[in-house]
Amino acid sequence: RRTRGREDFYISVRQDSIWGPARAVPGLNSPGNEGAATLSADGKVLVFTRCQARDSYGQCDLYLSTQRNGRWTEPRNMGPRLNTSYNETQPAFSPDGRSLYFASNRPGGVGQMDIWRIDWLASGEWSIAVALDTSVNSTHDEKTPYLHYDNQTLYFTSDRPDGYGSSDLYVSRKK
């Protein structure tokens, strides 16, 4: 939801088939913009994009919050293994929660915006981010990754010239 020129998180609770009023989610919103979120399959880990934050490495970074006792913890920047002086945005957890896919215009990719993957290691640390190969990324913009629950099928958008419009939906399957 966009309020006063900002993008923030809101929640509405449904009771007896009636949706209640939207309310800001406590602890997640900042003076900047929040959006493009992904939730782990168990509903306990939230990764989202935050822009114009004081503790960011670039314009937009990815932040993590966990749910404890029914409340979200103070979001923390996911750090320099993931975030750079470029934009990191549009996160998507893998169904098993061990990988995070996201879009970034950082160097080392194939094109302008590319889809990257970072793995959550058994130690609790994140691996180094890796750009997906040219079966997904092109010299154009690839964005909005979503990994199907089969953990094999990746959906994403691209503005490559072989599409039907300015941005089209593509699918790629792991071999």
Side-chain angles (χ1 to χ4, degrees), residues 29-34 50-61 63 74 77:
N29 298 320
S30 73
N33 290 308
E34 285 81 27
R50 177 176 276 172
C51 300
Q52 302 99 20
R54 283 187 227 129
D55 65 341
S56 68
Y57 294 87
Q59 177 69 18
C60 295
D61 283 2
Y63 285 73
E74 180 70 27
N77 187 299

Side-chain angles (χ1 to χ4, degrees), residues 80-82 102 106 116-119 121 126-131:
R81 283 188 170 202
L82 176 63
F102 62 97
R106 63 173 59 192
W116 294 70
R117 189 192 84 234
I118 191 167
D119 297 322
L121 306 172
W126 291 95
S127 69
I128 301 298
V130 202

Side-chain angles (χ1 to χ4, degrees), residues 1 17 28 61 69 71 86 95 99 108 121 123 129 131:
R1 178 172 172 185
S17 73
L28 292 184
D61 283 2
N69 301 321
R71 295 184 59 88
Y86 294 85
S99 297
L121 306 172
S123 65

Side-chain angles (χ1 to χ4, degrees), residues 86-131:
Y86 294 85
N87 287 330
E88 282 75 34
T89 187
Q90 303 169 345
F93 267 119
S94 62
D96 61 12
R98 294 192 305 227
S99 297
L100 184 73
Y101 293 79
F102 62 97
S104 179
N105 61 346
R106 63 173 59 192
V110 177
Q112 300 163 41
M113 287 293 280
D114 287 312
I115 297 175
W116 294 70
R117 189 192 84 234
I118 191 167
D119 297 322
W120 208 341
L121 306 172
S123 65
E125 298 291 319
W126 291 95
S127 69
I128 301 298
V130 202

Side-chain angles (χ1 to χ4, degrees), residues 16-175:
D16 300 323
S17 73
I18 298 171
W19 287 99
R23 297 198 159 109
V25 177
L28 292 184
N29 298 320
S30 73
N33 290 308
E34 285 81 27
T38 186
L39 192 60
S40 62
D42 65 4
K44 302 221 184 263
V45 180
L46 177 73
V47 174
F48 64 92
T49 305
R50 177 176 276 172
C51 300
Q52 302 99 20
R54 283 187 227 129
D55 65 341
S56 68
Y57 294 87
Q59 177 69 18
C60 295
D61 283 2
L62 296 180
Y63 285 73
L64 185 140
S65 178
T66 57
Q67 194 174 83
R68 292 198 186 125
N69 301 321
R71 295 184 59 88
W72 291 104
T73 61
E74 180 70 27
R76 60 182 166 83
N77 187 299
M78 293 181 68
R81 283 188 170 202
L82 176 63
N83 294 311
T84 66
S85 60
Y86 294 85
N87 287 330
E88 282 75 34
T89 187
Q90 303 169 345
F93 267 119
S94 62
D96 61 12
R98 294 192 305 227
S99 297
L100 184 73
Y101 293 79
F102 62 97
S104 179
N105 61 346
R106 63 173 59 192
V110 177
Q112 300 163 41
M113 287 293 280
D114 287 312
I115 297 175
W116 294 70
R117 189 192 84 234
I118 191 167
D119 297 322
W120 208 341
L121 306 172
S123 65
E125 298 291 319
W126 291 95
S127 69
I128 301 298
V130 202
L132 300 188
D133 64 24
T134 55
S135 65
V136 171
N137 290 321
S138 73
T139 57
H140 298 275
D141 284 337
E142 280 70 43
K143 299 178 185 177
T144 60
Y146 172 79
L147 193 62
H148 187 268
Y149 71 87
D150 68 6
N151 216 28
Q152 302 293 312
T153 309
L154 178 72
Y155 296 92
F156 61 97
T157 61
S158 178
D159 67 353
R160 55 186 76 174
D162 62 342
Y164 293 100
S166 60
S167 189
D168 295 297
L169 183 63
Y170 288 80
V171 63
S172 179
R173 290 184 179 81
K174 289 182 186 177
K175 293 180 183 182

